[in-house]
Amino acid sequence: MRRTIMRQYRGAVLSALLALAAASVLLLVSNSPASAAATDRVLITGDSITQGSSGDYTWRYRLWDKLQSTEAGQVEFVGTRSDLYDNVNDGFGSQHYAVNFAGEKHAAKWGSTYWQGSLTSRTR
């Protein structure tokens, strides 16, 4: 019985660590030669919690809002996607953010694993 509890505990800890890794943020910093001030480029990758679902405030929005209030114009979100997952109609491609914001770009995909996301990010 004790082994069963330890396995469950290890599984829960591993799941929590993987969830944190899946929602990791990769920071890509580059200087834009066209502007006088350097702009930090942020690539956000992850799974469903990072992509967000139609009609919701995403944590990406909250991060963008905070960064704009502290470093307005100094941060640019980058990525190959800007969509949300529509869990009512079970499909990708929704643009129905609770609040429209300039930082909609990301590299997250509902249902992807951390490993898949890290491979995608490295190949671009």
Side-chain angles (χ1 to χ4, degrees):
M1 176 150 174
R2 183 180 171 118
R3 284 187 177 181
T4 302
I5 293 172
M6 288 303 292
R7 283 185 190 151
Q8 289 174 344
Y9 176 75
R10 262 190 306 211
V13 169
L14 182 59
S15 294
L17 289 174
L18 288 174
L20 286 173
S24 68
V25 175
L26 300 174
L27 294 175
L28 302 174
V29 179
S30 69
N31 290 332
S32 173
S35 65
T39 300
D40 292 334
R41 299 176 71 214
V42 179
L43 173 65
I44 299 178
T45 184
D47 60 1
S48 58
I49 196 167
T50 305
Q51 183 177 16
S53 61
S54 182
D56 286 342
Y57 288 93
T58 66
W59 70 262
R60 293 182 291 108
Y61 164 74
R62 304 225 187 261
L63 176 61
W64 175 262
D65 190 46
K66 178 64 175 173
L67 291 172
Q68 293 308 301
S69 69
T70 58
E71 297 290 329
Q74 298 299 309
V75 178
E76 174 188 10
F77 282 9
V78 297
T80 57
R81 305 178 68 105
S82 64
D83 66 327
L84 297 166
Y85 183 77
D86 185 344
N87 54 3
V88 173
N89 296 311
D90 195 29
F92 294 97
S94 173
Q95 294 296 318
H96 298 289
Y97 284 85
V99 173
N100 289 326
F101 65 108
E104 295 174 353
K105 297 263 186 199
H106 61 86
K109 185 174 181 189
W110 195 283
S112 71
T113 64
Y114 175 74
W115 180 250
Q116 290 167 332
S118 65
L119 286 177
T120 301
S121 298
R122 288 185 196 148
T123 59
R124 299 206 173 140

